[in-house]
Amino acid sequence: MQAARCPTDELSLTNCAVVNENDFQSGQHVIVRTSPSHRYTFTLRTHPSVVPGSIAFSLTQRKWAGLYIGQETEVSLYTFDKTKQCVGTMTIEIDFLQKKSIDSNPYDTDKMAGEFIQQFNNQAFSVGQQLVFSFNGKLFSLVVKDIEAMDPSILKGEQGADKRQKIELGLVPGNSQVAFEKAENSSLNLIGEAKTKENRQSIINPDWNFEKMGIEGLDKEFSDIFQRMFSSRMFPAEIVEQMGCKHVKGILLYGPTGCGKTLLARQIGKMLNAREPKVVNGPEILGKDVRESEANIRKLFADAEEEQRRLGANSGLHIIIFDEIDAICKQRGSMAGSTGVHDTVVNQLLSKIDGVEQLNNILVIGMTNRPDLIDEALLRPGRLEVKMEIGLPDEKGRLQILHIHTARMRGHRLLSADIDIKELATEYVFECTPFLRSKTLVFYIFRQKFERLRLCPPHSGKTALAAKIAEESNFSFIKICSPDKMIGFSETAKCQAMKKIFNDAYNSQLSCVVVDDIERLLDYVPVGPRFSNLVLQALLVLLKKDPPQGRKLLIIGTTSHKDVLQQMELLTAFSTTIHVPNIATGEQLLEALELLGNFNDKERTIIAQQVKDKKVLIGIKKLLMLIEMSLQMDPEYRVRKFLALLREEGA
């Protein structure tokens, strides 16, 4: 084919060679050989003014390839291997095209990189290639300095060392990363993170530094989200289409309050080559009336709709984050007597995510600690189809959190050498928020430890034993379901409180729930209305329900009426029963007094003379009460008082 001059200035800025549509099709890639040892790759566009048999180049292209008007060239089609030749990162040298256009204004390389990807999407680039780039009304001269291919293992969700390879020729998909370097002796003023190769990060990096991200303890969750949601966006749209895949449009992050859902969602937006995420709190959507609420939803998607109409597949990714999404997306029809605003908002949101005019350039992230309240239609495929639990951190995650948030203390030598971070991470489960924000971290840890030790109060019997068993088991998360915390609760409120206790326990890898004084929980009395059947059935369901996969739960119950629980079929929910007997002999009484340490050796000797070889029948709780009453007396009378109280109790 014969080299020709580019027909228009607009086509010169496309960085494409121009041909007649009878010779090639627009979007094809060709190799142009100017000599046996010189070959150059171009992407094609068509224009009717180009004579068949000719191939037109801009002035910059002719300079780069050493072409002159009328030169005969050999042109052949070229097909890219899109699993190996897609550009992951590209470094470009930049300068003003003309000296008269030089100015001192700052140029944002992040915006410049986004515009570059939009202008030259799906085009071929070679190391050393020269081109002209239009940005903010200015023309710039560019030279491609370095190209790295995308790592194909990312599609498989693999992690490890960076496997990207340097290549001489690559195809630029819509999610490539571009870094600009100022040309030597240039007066161009560059700002932004994409101004040097060292300061920028690739679009998605499996080896992302979680400490710098501030989402420590969520490595596994972040990796799973990456594999399920973003791998399809790493490669050109046609590859995804050929594989029969569709981009995931939405994800629901759910779990206990304070475990990092909002933080994780924000960091997802930062780690992608996407538009600035829009973060909105659920209740903020609701306006004075239905129309205002619908308009608020439409505004969130307006930018994505406009850009998709203008750029199509070249549109950037728009991320919309809904915090407390359950506030606006409750089950439709569930709010009796409401104005219908919630139902309308759900309908509007569904139509925007997966309506008649589908958007392929959006990612909707919803967050909630009540996934059961959300309308089921929002969770079906094509909408918020990926559901990810963000639970309490495991031991590895807790160790990460503690290391990061004690780093400054260690640096200033304010952390005692006898504090074992690994031991704390192994023994205790916390919710993350206080640790992420508290400046009194170590005090908080030990306050938590003190509160746990209080599970064995001084005036307990079975409850104390149950709590002691729970603590000795080294289960890192212990919850007590006690009737004294539910005084005045209705039956429904009591069921909800018990359900929350068990749900909290499920969030930990290894948990223990102590259900104290079961007959009191059930409102049992020996006469009249015997018990609450609603609470009984709820408790039976909770006791027999298996914990989620990978979680272990120990349940310890206490009761003074084993026969009553047997009639209610509650005993079958427990694997075993253990009888906690009263003190039965004088020897056992003396042993208890020695362990409790309330009387001195002389006093215990006097007591031993009175109770030795005698039968004694008294519970630990009653014994502690008698000791406490005796200690109120003067020292010379308290043994006599204790023995008198024993006789009065018939012990």
Side-chain angles (χ1 to χ4, degrees), residues 413-455:
R413 298 181 180 180
L414 296 176
L415 192 65
S416 176
D418 62 352
I419 293 179
D420 190 339
I421 298 296
K422 289 186 177 179
E423 180 184 351
L424 291 173
T426 301
E427 187 173 355
Y428 298 103
V429 170
F430 40 80
E431 302 210 338
C432 300
T433 299
F435 284 80
L436 296 178
R437 298 175 181 172
S438 176
K439 295 182 180 179
T440 56
L441 172 64
V442 177
F443 171 73
Y444 186 90
I445 291 173
F446 287 105
R447 188 171 74 238
Q448 287 292 90
K449 183 172 183 178
F450 174 70
E451 288 175 352
R452 282 194 51 200
L453 291 178
R454 286 172 54 197
L455 293 177

Side-chain angles (χ1 to χ4, degrees), residues 312-331:
N314 296 337
S315 172
L317 181 63
H318 292 254
I319 299 177
I320 303 172
I321 300 173
F322 288 94
D323 201 2
E324 306 294 344
I325 194 172
D326 54 281
I328 60 170
C329 292
K330 288 184 172 64
Q331 292 279 354

Side-chain angles (χ1 to χ4, degrees), residues 107 220 528:
Y107 289 90
K220 182 181 182 302

